Amino acid sequence: MSDFLESEAEESELDSEAEEQPAERKKHKRKAVQSDDEDEEEEDDEERLREELKDLIDDAPIEESGSDGEDSDASVGPKKRKKSDDELDDRLEDEDYDLIEENLGVKVARNKFKRLRRLEDDDSDNEGADDPDLEREVIAEKLFVGGSDEEDENRSDSAAPRGDVEYDDDNEELESDADDFIVDDDGRPIAERKKKRKPIFTDASLQEGQDIFGVDFDYDEFEKYGEEDYEDEDEEDLDEYIEDDEEEGERRRTKKGKAKRPSKKSIFEIYEPSELKRSHFTDLDNEIRKTDVPERMQTREVPITPVEEGSNELEEEAEWIYKQAFLKPSVSKADAQDARERTRRGSSTITKIRQALDFMRNQTLEVPFIAFYRKEYVEPELSINDLWKVYKYDAKWCQLKQRKENLLKLFENMRDYQLDKVMENPDAPIPENMRLVKDEDIERLKSVQTPEELRDVHAHFLLYYSCELPEMQRVQRIKERKKELEERKKLAREEAEKNGEDAEEAAAAIEAIELDEEDLTDIKYAAKSGPYELCRKAGIEPLVKKFGLTPEQFAENVRDNYQRHEVEQQPVAPLEAAAEYVGNIGSAAEVVRRAVYMCGVQLAREPLLRATLRDALRERATVSIKPTAKGIKEIDENHACYSLKYLKKKPVRDITGEQFLKLTMAAEDKLLVVTISEQIEGNTSPSYLEELKQLYQKDEFAATVQAWNELRSEAVTIALTKIVMPELRRELHAVLLQESKDYVLKCCRRRLYDWLKVAPYESRISDDDDEWDASNGVRVMSVAYVPDRAHSAFACIVGPGGEVADHLRLPHLLYRRNAWDALERRNKDADMTALRRFICRKKPHVIVIGGESREALNVKADISDCVQQLVEDEQFPRIPIEIADNHFSKIYSNSIRGRNDFREYPDILRQAICQGRLLQDPLMEISQLCGPDEEILCLRYHPLQDQIAKDDLLEGIELEFVNRVNEVGVDVNEAVLTGRGTELLQYVCGLGPRKAQALIKLFKQTNQKLENRTQLVTVCHMGPKVFINCSGFIRIDTNSLGDSTEAYIEVLDGSRVHPETYEWARKMAVDALEYEDEDANPAGALEEILEAPERLKDLDLDAFAEELERQGFGNKSITLYDIRAELNSRYKDLRVSYRSPTPEELFDILTKESPDTFYVGKMVLASVIGITHRKPQREMLDQATPVRNDETGLWQCPFCFKNDFPELSEVWSHFDAGACPGQATGVRIRLDNGLSGYIHIKNLSDRHVTDPTERVRIGQTVHCRVIKIDVERFSVDCTSKSSDLLDKNNEWKPPKDPYYDQETEDKDIRKEKDAKQNKDRMQYVKRVIVHPAFHNISFAEAEKLMDKMAQGEVIVRPSSKGSDHLTVTWKVTDGIYQHIDVREEGKENAFSLGRSLWIQGSEFEDLDEIIARHVTPMAGHARDLIAYKYYKPLGGIRDKAEEILKEEKAKNPNKIHYVISASKNYPGRFLLSYLPRARCTHEYVSVSPDGYKFRQRMFDSLSGLLKWFKEHFREPPPSGTPAQRAAAARTPHGAASALYQTPAAHTPAFHTPAHTPGPAYINTPYTPSAQTPYMTPFASTPRQTDFLTPAAPRHKAAPAAAYTEPADWQKAAEDWVRHRGGSARDTPRRTPRHDARSTPRHDARSTPRQDARSTPRQDVRSTPRQDVRTTPRYDARSTPHSQMYTPTHTPHTPRSSRTHSARSTPHTNTSPRSMSLGDATPLYDEN
């Protein structure tokens, strides 16, 4: 790298030497100029006096140097500019002054000796010309004294180092004299009005400020306001102040006589460097102005350089640009259009690129010139945008070429150094650690094609030679110093011999000086201390060479994908080979480890390997995206990265548009994690790394070979995974990001192009009246407003030239004509009347309204009414009315430029003015923001434009302006006259901001017009290169010049025809008119042909082109056709005609939305503003049937459902009065963007809705999704259904990427859901309960605490279900605990214990009752099972049980063995495993407070259970009773119990158990469900009309006789019969037994849903018919949470237990305590 710096330094030294030589020549030239001036004094007196008239009045102060008298009137010839008449002032006599004063009408200061003193000052300045401070003073005088802000590029008298200084005040005085001819209304010169101002500053520079700005300003105040408040003022007024006050300032200063000149401050002391740079006043800016090279070519990052003659560089560059810019595909598909264009270009493009490069580099022709005037050489392969791409890549080529040359010089120096080192001892062998620079290395460097490859080569060079660089550079400096010393000694000898001195002494003196300087220039380099350098110093490098392949050979193997170079195998093992290098390292193993690292680094730095891997990575790399925890929450469907939230291995080749930029932004915001694949697929295997390892291995099986192979594999792994691939992934990330940004920049340019391509508005009014003539431009009336009625709207008239003719304030424009307030209506009418009069008086050709909001439509309707009234009353033509986007006008009104242009106008009026001008000429108006403040960046081109570098965006905007401006052309005269359009001039081909600024200033100062293009050279002194570039694009309106000038008017100057082809145009005109050669008058022929251009059609332009080519003018075929087209219509506007916005565009303008921000399917927030109804028609009213509510006795309207009519007649009155709004049809809403929306009643909810007010209220904010957009009505249809909002089927959400990782997203959703549930579950509310078994602990803590407790112990703890639940945990056996949920009712507060406790359907008074009646019996039953002899602690694991049974079976095959074990997965159940034959069977036994449950039967004792089991084990288990059940959610015991049906033979009739197991019985109002049968099968339900009576709600149960629960089933049945009064035939002994086959099967799919309006109707065949009049209707909403229906005939007696309370569980046929009585009718509520 240091060599790079040295080469740059050498170049700068050469440049400085080159600059010094012209400066010396210019010094000699100045002396010659002074002698010329002395010779010219002897010219004729009369001629001299005529010239003297121009500079008799010297406005410049005495103390100013001669540089302020520079020639600002470039039309004066060279002799006049060089002529110096300073010494002639003292020859003028008083009569001469009198004559001048009489002619000019002003007094003239008669200072005879002023010029002489000034000449003395000039001489002193010349003596100090080499002083750097002088240059600053010269610039200051040009700014503050000479009357201009900048120096004209054609002045030959700039600062001393740049050219000869000439002194001439002719033009300066001419300006002052000319201004004196400008008089006010009274005929007095303007300057007279300012004569009495006196100086207020003693400091010269501050006084000069007063003179410039024409006001007695305070400098501190001036600094406070800053430059922006005055720099953009109208330049003509500024010049007027300067010119008038200079004269007066001179008079004041001349009175001081010979006072000492005060010290002056330069502009470099007054202004900040940044301000000078911003206004283009630096030395570099002056140099750019003067140089005859297009400005943009000078200011390019890599300036344009010509190609040496005889060089083939252009051919190489053209081929390189073709491959890199037009052939090489991009890594991603960011720009699909560009990718398509690449495939269409053939090899002929190279020739066109080469020609374009020749135009740019050798002929300094800018892109627009080539695109317009050299079409034959670039079309059709290259468009103007392609030429800009060539221009851009030329800079990259030059930069790459320069870097290659610098690196090549470094390589050659290193090779020379190595050669010298080797030649010091030619016979000695080359050191092992020295890697010689070979020709292959230099050739590889020369073949580098990209900056990435160049970096690889440079890194490779530093790896091997960085240790030798300091010594090499030291030797190189010594060589150069010696060479320089010899040259100096040689010169010293020659000089000494000339002077007769001793040559050797002179040489010795030079050598002594050199020795003194040598010590000062010694450079100390930083020591290399990286891991690789340490290994190299340890001398391990020779061992690395024994790995079998050089890095170059391995890279070639990888490139060719086969083992081109075989591995050279070492005969010894790695540790043996490393033994000789141990040294101070410690062990051979450590040496091997370090050698592997060195080998890996060498492989990683090999350029060919890196290039191959780079190509492979870009071809095969994939991107995976996963959101962070923050991203999961924040990236919703409205986020830009929603469709990319989860990606799995998306190939980088498939990344499109700005996708990667969005992903990078989200990654920077910590929303996403973007991962570029670390592993890429191989050519033949899944892993590319494994393939590369195989290319570095020896295919043998010897132990030594395998050991070396392992080391080689490790080296390849280090090279790829640790070094190369991470670097290449970072590089790939940067490339993808840049491609995405380039796409965004292209979109920005496209948006700007769409704005600039629109032509000025053309009048559509066809009226013969001269008042409506639009030949000179259109008059535009513009209206601007803001939605806030507190601010007035404004209308203004913009004249054809962009001037503001008049404006009108409209404070009430937004009011409605039909407003309820009379004052508002009057104010509105007043505004409309004023507006109508304004239109009538100003007669605009078009009216434009700013599209601020939807109210623009109302404004347009109001103005249309005004125009219609004028059409009817005043016979006006129908004036078009347009609504335009006000995006630009709002920015302009708030910009610095807008405020400076119209400082006194309010913002809204400035908006209106800008809107009118924008319609007149979009290009000119948008260019107003292209000033030094860069306000053009405030426009919104793209949502992501802020991610683009500011300079890149400015460059893209500039290119678009250059293309459009040169397509349209610029009228310089109009720009100077109106002050508008000056910004456009900087974009003219060949010019730039500096050259354009100087050109405008020149014409303003001289008050001249550009009359023909030739004056660009003669007057503006434009160089040939800049003139050729710009002349065709500078338009001159030859018609407007007319007779106002005596100069020759060239009609072709008003066309796009370039001056170089004027002769051909004239020839075409003469030939078209068929003039004879002697009669030909080309100028007359042109004028005649312009009037009748159709005669040009007969010309054979192809033959003309062939003739021109034969004469050596080249191919001009397209140019000739362009000339003919231009003669048909001079400077025809090529832009697209203005068209009114389409409905879609108008929708976007007024809503400020776009298709990307507002679309079908978008989720939005809206406010409810009303309910819509469909009013009933007369026929519907006649057929209406009002409904009477039997409960309230009131009548209800069948349409609006109003239900408070006491009489039927009132319903009819309701109809007749028209008070019925009708049936509700939907909801009206208002979106955040102001749009009106509508939700149809069917889209309001997933449930049926008849009255929308049940769901929403006015003013409520609702979430909804857009399902339809009506752009013409500005309305949307929405849906607020939950299913549509959730959109699980992705019908409305934005489409997801094809590589979207739905599986990972679902996994994360499940994980988040589980985490939320666990969090909720772990949230225990600490309770205040006093009981020895209660603990405020969690689930895990309870189990841990129970580990030391005895079997059957109980812990009561808070429940995660909430504050109205408890959990009872009891120990079944070691490691097995059952958790029972307890629901509380009648709680005083959240922390206390409820008055009643419920376990499923059983009620308990307190915790003691739960433990005594529920837990303790179960624990006892479980204890009996555990103590049984065949119990085994197997945890309910079937496999272990089978092992034990098979062992026992093997011992005793004749016996049927069985074992019992407690189930860990289902606490409360015991696994009964038995082996009847060869196959094991497993069934569950559940413990409950009432005993054991097995096969849907209850057993009071374990012996009874086992006895029944041994008798019936061969019977299959009942259907619906699987041997293994699913785990219960919280209470496994309850879940298991509910799955069994208890036979009636074992169930007492009215014994309601203390515990009703089963999760099916959640205590909710009675609703038929999957657990409650809808109807009982006919076969199992004999008709028994007197058994079931109509049901009544339990909370309204009829009082019943007292009943005491019997002790057992038989007594209970007899007692029930006695109490009922029935006979013995009704006893349960005759009850048919129900088994699984007769039990109704209940399916949730066949169970109807019951709501407040529906009661399940029973089948007449299955149940007794009920009288509907005696059956009350029950609403689930009004039923208490725990109340159920029971038959009204069920007796209730004061009970001995809580099982018969009114809140106890109902008896249904699915309850374990259900039973069949009498004739097997199940006891359940039929209603």
Side-chain angles (χ1 to χ4, degrees), residues 1231-1380:
L1231 274 59
D1232 291 343
N1233 57 10
L1235 284 176
S1236 300
Y1238 177 72
I1239 303 177
H1240 194 275
I1241 195 166
K1242 70 179 181 182
N1243 293 324
L1244 197 59
S1245 173
D1246 287 316
R1247 296 181 179 178
H1248 180 69
V1249 177
T1250 56
D1251 184 6
T1253 56
E1254 295 177 359
R1255 309 288 305 193
V1256 296
R1257 64 179 183 276
I1258 305 297
Q1260 179 181 346
T1261 300
V1262 295
H1263 285 274
C1264 49
R1265 197 180 287 279
V1266 178
I1267 59 176
K1268 181 183 176 183
I1269 301 175
D1270 189 339
V1271 295
E1272 294 183 354
R1273 297 176 55 195
F1274 285 83
S1275 65
V1276 295
D1277 290 350
C1278 299
T1279 174
S1280 59
K1281 287 182 178 179
S1282 299
S1283 58
D1284 289 336
L1285 295 179
L1286 292 174
D1287 192 24
K1288 293 183 178 180
N1289 297 327
N1290 293 321
E1291 296 177 8
W1292 302 107
K1293 293 178 183 177
K1296 295 182 179 179
D1297 193 86
Y1299 295 91
Y1300 197 86
D1301 191 1
Q1302 190 64 47
E1303 181 181 350
T1304 304
E1305 183 181 29
D1306 295 341
K1307 186 177 179 182
D1308 284 352
I1309 291 173
R1310 287 195 301 271
K1311 186 177 179 182
E1312 183 181 8
K1313 185 177 179 181
D1314 294 344
K1316 187 176 180 180
Q1317 289 179 350
N1318 291 335
K1319 185 179 179 181
D1320 294 341
R1321 186 177 296 128
M1322 299 304 293
Q1323 290 177 348
Y1324 299 97
V1325 178
K1326 290 195 174 185
R1327 307 289 297 278
V1328 183
I1329 298 175
V1330 181
H1331 192 277
F1334 181 80
H1335 300 272
N1336 271 312
I1337 57 178
S1338 66
F1339 159 83
E1341 291 170 330
E1343 290 195 344
K1344 186 176 180 181
L1345 188 62
M1346 279 202 153
D1347 189 39
K1348 305 294 183 183
M1349 292 184 176
Q1351 190 272 342
E1353 288 291 327
V1354 178
I1355 287 179
V1356 183
R1357 57 185 178 85
S1359 172
S1360 62
K1361 289 186 177 181
S1363 59
D1364 58 346
H1365 286 262
L1366 291 173
T1367 298
V1368 174
T1369 302
W1370 68 280
K1371 185 172 182 177
V1372 179
T1373 183
D1374 291 340
I1376 301 176
Y1377 314 96
Q1378 185 181 15
H1379 306 275
I1380 304 172

Side-chain angles (χ1 to χ4, degrees), residues 656-701:
T656 59
E658 66 271 16
Q659 282 183 348
F660 200 77
L661 179 56
K662 292 178 180 177
L663 293 174
T664 304
M665 291 169 60
E668 291 173 354
D669 294 337
K670 302 292 188 292
L671 299 178
L672 295 177
V673 177
V674 181
T675 307
I676 296 179
S677 56
E678 297 184 2
Q679 298 291 336
I680 57 176
E681 293 185 2
N683 297 310
T684 57
S685 66
S687 174
Y688 193 50
L689 176 61
E690 295 301 323
E691 288 186 8
L692 298 192
K693 288 180 181 179
Q694 295 301 319
L695 297 175
Y696 199 13
Q697 294 198 350
K698 188 74 173 178
D699 191 12
E700 295 180 8
F701 297 99

Side-chain angles (χ1 to χ4, degrees), residues 7 127 147 207 246 351 480 513 586 678 685 793 852 922 981 1017 1032 1040 1154 1273 1301 1316 1357 1477 1493 1540 1545 1666 1669:
S7 62
E127 291 171 3
Q207 183 60 51
E246 278 177 349
T351 307
E480 292 174 356
I513 295 173
E678 297 184 2
S685 66
E852 175 66 26
V1017 176
S1040 65
S1154 70
R1273 297 176 55 195
D1301 191 1
K1316 187 176 180 180
R1357 57 185 178 85
R1477 291 176 185 169
K1493 184 175 295 182
Y1540 294 91
Q1666 307 296 331
R1669 290 173 297 179

Side-chain angles (χ1 to χ4, degrees), residues 414-564:
M414 180 57 71
R415 185 164 64 173
D416 294 342
Y417 166 74
Q418 289 181 336
L419 181 61
D420 293 343
K421 196 170 183 180
V422 170
M423 293 307 293
E424 289 177 359
N425 189 0
D427 298 333
I430 298 175
E432 287 188 349
N433 59 356
M434 176 184 284
R435 185 185 186 280
L436 296 177
V437 178
K438 304 175 185 176
D439 292 338
E440 292 81 1
D441 296 330
I442 294 178
E443 289 301 321
R444 178 168 56 193
L445 172 59
K446 290 180 178 178
S447 64
V448 163
Q449 295 293 306
T450 63
E452 293 88 356
E453 294 177 10
L454 187 66
R455 283 198 297 270
D456 293 345
V457 173
H458 186 233
H460 181 262
F461 175 85
L462 291 179
L463 178 70
Y464 291 103
Y465 306 111
S466 59
C467 57
E468 301 180 44
L469 268 179
E471 181 65 20
M472 182 271 288
Q473 291 176 344
R474 188 184 67 81
V475 172
Q476 190 69 22
R477 283 197 308 278
I478 293 174
K479 280 186 180 181
E480 292 174 356
R481 194 174 292 127
K482 285 182 178 178
K483 185 177 179 181
E484 184 182 351
L485 179 61
E486 291 300 325
E487 291 179 356
R488 292 169 61 186
K489 287 166 68 175
K490 182 179 178 181
L491 292 175
R493 289 191 184 97
E494 293 176 355
E495 189 69 24
E497 290 175 357
K498 288 181 183 179
N499 299 333
E501 299 174 358
D502 188 358
E504 293 303 324
E505 287 183 3
I510 295 295
E511 190 169 359
I513 295 173
E514 182 68 22
L515 290 174
D516 293 339
E517 294 176 353
E518 184 175 352
D519 298 335
L520 300 176
T521 57
D522 193 19
I523 300 174
K524 186 174 182 181
Y525 288 87
K528 303 288 183 182
S529 58
Y532 182 87
E533 187 64 19
L534 295 177
C535 295
R536 188 193 65 78
K537 289 180 179 178
I540 304 176
E541 198 165 1
L543 178 61
V544 177
K545 295 180 180 178
K546 297 181 180 180
F547 274 56
L549 282 180
T550 65
E552 292 87 350
Q553 291 172 333
F554 175 67
E556 290 177 3
N557 286 355
V558 173
R559 179 194 62 193
D560 300 336
N561 198 31
Y562 78 97
Q563 212 156 14
R564 180 174 182 170

